[in-house]
Amino acid sequence: MDSLVSQNLRVEVFDKVEPDPSVETVEEGAKVAKKCAVDVVIGLGGGSPMDAAKAIALLMTNKGSITDYFGTDKVKEPAIPVIAIPTTAGTGSEVTKYAVVTDRKKILKQIIGSFHISPVLAILDPVLTLSMPASLTANTGADALSHAVEGYVSTQSTPVGDILALKSISLIAESLPEAISQPGNLKIREKMLFASMLAGLVINSAGAGIIHGMGYFITLHYGAPHGLANALLMPEVMEFNLVANPGKYKNIAEAMGKKVEGLSENEAARLSVVAMREFLQKIGIPKNMKEIGVKEESLAGFAKTVSKNERLLTLNPRRPTREEIEEIYRNSM
Ligand SMILES: [Fe+2]
């Protein structure tokens, strides 16, 4: 605020954004922004404040409710400029066209996907991530890893994105445990922030898959932070997906430090799941969903809703049936 005010800019602070921001919060933010006739929205924080900033900026130039823009390419007019400043290394939202807004009435996480809401500027300063406690570092880092993995194997992956994804995976595999054991090490925090941004660029073009689609329900119904929910599902989803693209899963295993020489492609691909399990354990992720209180009886309902998420099912390298989604949930218990 001081640096902006010193340049004779008027600043209003909206600090009511909760984790997994709701429709109501975004609309309240937009009301404040309209009252002050703001020219720019700065999203400072983790994924939630940055996504809320994008959604608020959208409502400055587009009529109606934020719920009108749920989906892909529904935004008609460019939002007012958004500057994104991440304080976690995980979401990559600072470089993406996505804003995730929670519809608490329908109990759904809704995605707004439009280049009209992409930030015009991202400022990555690892100093801002130094104060993250270990669990937040682990959960948000696991989210970044899930972006790199899901984007890399997505049916819409691109050759350029693939390079970024593998770089992101190897950076996270080497730096995240150190970011937890040496929280004050700025060089390591910088690597994580860079890796998270790379993974954001990957999903920006390739999209995510069912790790995200399934994880949303663990967050909505059990309050698990987004990255933790993804981490708990990641090994089993990889296990299910790997037959669809063993070559890429082999590369993931290698990027995570496994030796694959002399192995068949399928053997090497399976090593990616082993590497992921070992890695998640190393960064302190609970062993399974049961440990965080997820109940067996809710899984069939979640699977039913996920099986209707056409967008994410299409992006996933192997298309699962409702029964298979339920089985992946059960195997993650
Ligand atoms: Fe994510």
Side-chain angles (χ1 to χ4, degrees), residues 216-234:
Y216 288 155
F217 293 91
I218 308 302
T219 297
L220 286 165
H221 293 265
Y222 293 100
H226 170 65
L228 172 61
N230 288 0
L232 290 166
L233 290 158
M234 195 142 46

Side-chain angles (χ1 to χ4, degrees), residues 22 80 92 97 138 142 210 223 323 330-331:
S22 64
I80 64 168
K97 60 180 179 180
I210 60 169
E323 292 76 15
R330 288 196 193 287
N331 292 343

Side-chain angles (χ1 to χ4, degrees), residues 219-287:
T219 297
L220 286 165
H221 293 265
Y222 293 100
H226 170 65
L228 172 61
N230 288 0
L232 290 166
L233 290 158
M234 195 142 46
E236 288 299 331
V237 172
M238 289 171 70
E239 184 94 51
F240 175 80
N241 280 344
L242 61 83
V243 292
N245 202 334
K248 281 202 161 175
Y249 282 90
K250 175 188 165 186
N251 294 341
I252 293 173
E254 260 196 302
M256 294 190 79
K258 288 287 177 197
K259 297 252 178 299
V260 297
E261 272 169 31
L263 298 179
S264 72
E265 194 168 65
N266 284 333
E267 285 168 344
R270 300 199 75 83
L271 266 191
S272 68
V273 185
V274 175
M276 186 59 75
R277 286 194 196 284
E278 289 170 359
F279 178 76
L280 295 174
Q281 195 187 2
K282 201 163 160 190
I283 62 167
I285 299 293
K287 254 208 315 286

Side-chain angles (χ1 to χ4, degrees), residues 108-308:
L108 284 175
K109 278 203 168 200
Q110 301 279 14
I111 296 174
I112 301 163
S114 166
F115 281 112
H116 286 324
I117 64 169
S118 296
V120 295
L121 177 68
I123 301 175
L124 279 82
D125 182 351
V127 170
L128 299 176
T129 68
L130 284 174
S131 62
M132 271 195 291
S135 64
L136 188 61
T137 302
N139 292 341
T140 52
D143 184 31
L145 184 57
S146 73
H147 296 157
V149 169
E150 290 216 281
Y152 182 54
V153 300
S154 156
T155 54
Q156 276 179 30
S157 63
T158 66
V160 174
D162 288 356
I163 295 168
L164 305 184
L166 286 176
K167 180 69 191 170
S168 178
I169 292 168
S170 63
L171 271 174
I172 295 168
E174 113 195 359
S175 319
L176 183 51
E178 291 180 316
I180 293 164
S181 62
Q182 308 166 44
N185 188 323
L186 196 59
K187 276 276 159 248
I188 291 165
R189 293 291 195 177
E190 186 177 6
K191 280 188 191 171
M192 276 306 301
L193 193 54
F194 183 62
S196 154
M197 184 273 290
L198 292 181
L201 291 173
V202 174
I203 51 165
N204 204 35
S205 59
I210 60 169
I211 295 173
H212 274 76
M214 294 174 67
Y216 288 155
F217 293 91
I218 308 302
T219 297
L220 286 165
H221 293 265
Y222 293 100
H226 170 65
L228 172 61
N230 288 0
L232 290 166
L233 290 158
M234 195 142 46
E236 288 299 331
V237 172
M238 289 171 70
E239 184 94 51
F240 175 80
N241 280 344
L242 61 83
V243 292
N245 202 334
K248 281 202 161 175
Y249 282 90
K250 175 188 165 186
N251 294 341
I252 293 173
E254 260 196 302
M256 294 190 79
K258 288 287 177 197
K259 297 252 178 299
V260 297
E261 272 169 31
L263 298 179
S264 72
E265 194 168 65
N266 284 333
E267 285 168 344
R270 300 199 75 83
L271 266 191
S272 68
V273 185
V274 175
M276 186 59 75
R277 286 194 196 284
E278 289 170 359
F279 178 76
L280 295 174
Q281 195 187 2
K282 201 163 160 190
I283 62 167
I285 299 293
K287 254 208 315 286
N288 53 46
M289 298 200 303
K290 218 181 283 164
E291 277 190 21
I292 62 156
V294 176
K295 299 265 183 294
E296 289 268 356
E297 52 266 33
S298 52
L299 302 178
F302 297 168
K304 195 173 166 195
T305 319
V306 175
S307 71
K308 290 177 190 147

